[in-house]
Amino acid sequence: MASKPCTFSDSWDAAVETIHSLNEPGRFVCYPGTEWCGNSAAGGDRNVVFLRDGKPFDQEGRSLRSFEWNETTAGTIRPGIWPVERLHTAYEDDPKGHLLIPHVGGRRCILDWNHPELERLIEIGSAWGQFHWLYTEALARGYRVGASAASDEHQGRWGGGAPATGTFGSRGGLTGVIADRFDRAGVGSALRARRTFATTGERSFAVLSQGRHFMGEVFHAEPEKPLAYRLLGQVGWEEVQLYDGDRLVWSRDLHVEAGLSQRSVRVRFGGARIKDRYRAAYWSGEVAVIGAGLLDAHGVGFDHPEQSVWRTGLGKLRFRTATHGDVDGIELKLSDLNDAHITIAADLHGYSKIGDPLQPPPHVQPRKQD
């Protein structure tokens, strides 16, 4: 007798059993989850995290994902639910048991679709790049959301991944959670309360508060009472900025406070060409220094060995890198800054989806020189 084929429900139950076996309160907390991969016209990507018992299919076994695919899928991919409004409908009866996270991956989420009870966080960083503009847009729309970051490089390596693998341009990010206790209930409550911060993968800590109130809370602020912040990290901080949406309201330049260098200067460049897939800005160019000796140069924020800066002559450098919403830079150490004149010329290229990847695509930007 032929064996009964494995169903999506069977695969899900087996995966959840493994996840439950790994969950250890006080040491390692994990949840089952899926991704809804609708294209942008249907709402765009959402992660679905099951904070307590829940399943990504209905009582008849029909998938609640955009489509069903896994390593055992054979033949035609089975469609699920579409557009994202139906995803909201599927879980809105138990919002405290679920967390939906809009994000920019292969498909960009569109914030015209929003469910305030389910979507409590916005992902602003992953192996796909950095998307601070998405958080700004959410706040400008009046959404009450916290920030998160993840890997999304399809291997489950939190804060890891291999930049430049396929169209992944960055190392995966991490979400920090300020929770009362380290178990599923405590962490899940903190996630839904928006008590989070996001990093680009570095093990850092950030918290903003006013009195007993933490970031993410909704409360009546006391205008005369100061905001307090605390930042921890493995190395020093350069600058702290506080925004109201896209409006800078306060900043602290720690370089100025410590005293600017008399011999070192950093050149920064970054961003992305577009907001969708193949967004990377590919930079290549030259740096020339006259009036001072160029003692040393190295890249800052470069993600892998192919992003590099090298000498081509006396006081001359070439560089090549790519940014996916992040910021890269070149740090120069000179004999003296006072009489130095630095010239930077750069070309900006796009992703070569077709044709020879060693040749720039036809939409090369005009050459700029400063």
Side-chain angles (χ1 to χ4, degrees):
M1 180 181 294
S3 61
K4 182 180 178 181
C6 180
T7 66
F8 173 43
S9 177
D10 294 334
S11 299
W12 173 260
D13 290 342
V16 170
E17 184 178 350
T18 299
I19 292 169
H20 287 340
S21 70
L22 296 173
N23 187 71
E24 184 179 339
R27 181 176 179 272
F28 182 75
V29 173
C30 54
Y31 306 91
T34 62
E35 183 176 21
W36 191 87
C37 302
N39 62 30
S40 294
D45 284 0
R46 261 77 172 172
N47 288 331
V48 181
V49 182
F50 297 93
L51 300 177
R52 53 192 183 205
D53 292 338
K55 298 181 178 181
F57 46 86
D58 61 19
Q59 294 179 345
E60 285 72 39
R62 293 173 296 194
S63 174
L64 297 178
R65 301 178 69 192
S66 50
F67 58 86
E68 187 47 46
W69 182 93
N70 55 49
E71 63 273 13
T72 64
T73 298
T76 304
I77 294 176
R78 298 183 294 276
I81 56 173
W82 202 274
V84 75
E85 292 161 320
R86 293 185 62 194
L87 178 70
H88 293 156
T89 301
Y91 299 117
E92 63 184 1
D93 288 342
D94 182 21
K96 292 184 178 180
H98 300 87
L99 182 67
L100 273 58
I101 306 178
H103 62 279
V104 177
R107 295 141 301 273
R108 169 168 55 104
C109 68
I110 302 298
L111 297 183
D112 290 351
W113 285 270
N114 172 256
H115 195 297
E117 288 302 310
L118 291 169
E119 297 176 352
R120 311 299 287 260
L121 304 177
I122 292 284
E123 186 179 287
I124 61 173
S126 72
W128 292 97
Q130 295 173 25
F131 321 105
H132 57 278
W133 52 266
L134 184 65
Y135 195 45
T136 299
E137 179 185 341
L139 297 179
R141 289 170 175 264
Y143 298 164
R144 291 172 175 170
V145 290
S148 71
S151 66
D152 200 13
E153 44 88 53
H154 306 167
Q155 301 297 325
R157 295 174 288 190
W158 305 283
T165 303
T167 54
F168 296 127
S170 303
R171 186 161 52 95
L174 291 171
T175 301
V177 184
I178 303 171
D180 295 329
R181 62 185 191 275
F182 192 41
D183 57 22
R184 280 183 172 172
V187 173
S189 177
L191 288 170
R192 285 191 47 81
R194 303 174 292 268
R195 293 199 300 272
T196 63
F197 59 91
T199 86
T200 55
E202 285 70 22
R203 270 58 178 177
S204 303
F205 174 84
V207 65
L208 180 69
S209 61
Q210 186 184 63
R212 59 185 179 86
H213 299 289
F214 284 93
M215 55 193 184
E217 294 184 43
V218 178
F219 64 96
H220 292 289
E222 302 177 48
E224 71 283 356
K225 199 167 189 177
L227 294 174
Y229 67 91
R230 188 181 187 195
L231 301 175
L232 302 175
Q234 295 175 318
V235 295
W237 299 85
E238 293 187 358
E239 189 172 11
V240 184
Q241 295 180 331
L242 181 64
Y243 281 85
D244 179 8
D246 62 352
R247 183 172 64 92
L248 178 65
V249 296
W250 178 84
S251 66
R252 181 178 177 186
D253 189 331
L254 301 179
H255 276 306
V256 172
E257 293 183 19
L260 297 176
S261 172
Q262 297 298 311
R263 299 200 299 173
S264 295
V265 62
R266 182 175 296 171
V267 179
R268 289 190 177 97
F269 42 90
R273 297 179 304 108
I274 58 176
K275 294 181 177 180
D276 295 290
R277 193 191 286 260
Y278 312 121
R279 61 185 59 88
Y282 293 87
W283 304 87
S284 62
E286 305 93 22
V287 179
V289 179
I290 60 175
L294 177 56
L295 305 180
D296 188 29
H298 62 270
V300 178
F302 289 4
D303 298 301
H304 55 83
E306 292 182 5
Q307 298 179 357
S308 59
V309 56
W310 64 97
R311 286 183 179 267
T312 57
L314 186 63
K316 294 182 179 180
L317 306 168
R318 281 196 62 84
F319 64 91
R320 179 178 60 242
T321 189
T323 59
H324 296 68
D326 55 319
V327 176
D328 289 355
I330 302 172
E331 192 163 294
L332 309 173
K333 185 176 181 181
L334 309 180
S335 59
D336 185 26
L337 282 177
N338 291 325
D339 297 320
H341 182 81
I342 304 171
T343 302
I344 304 167
D347 286 325
L348 179 61
H349 309 292
Y351 180 79
S352 298
K353 186 176 181 181
I354 57 174
D356 184 354
L358 298 179
Q359 299 297 321
H363 51 275
V364 175
Q365 299 294 320
R367 189 176 181 87
K368 297 184 181 299
Q369 182 168 317
D370 295 321

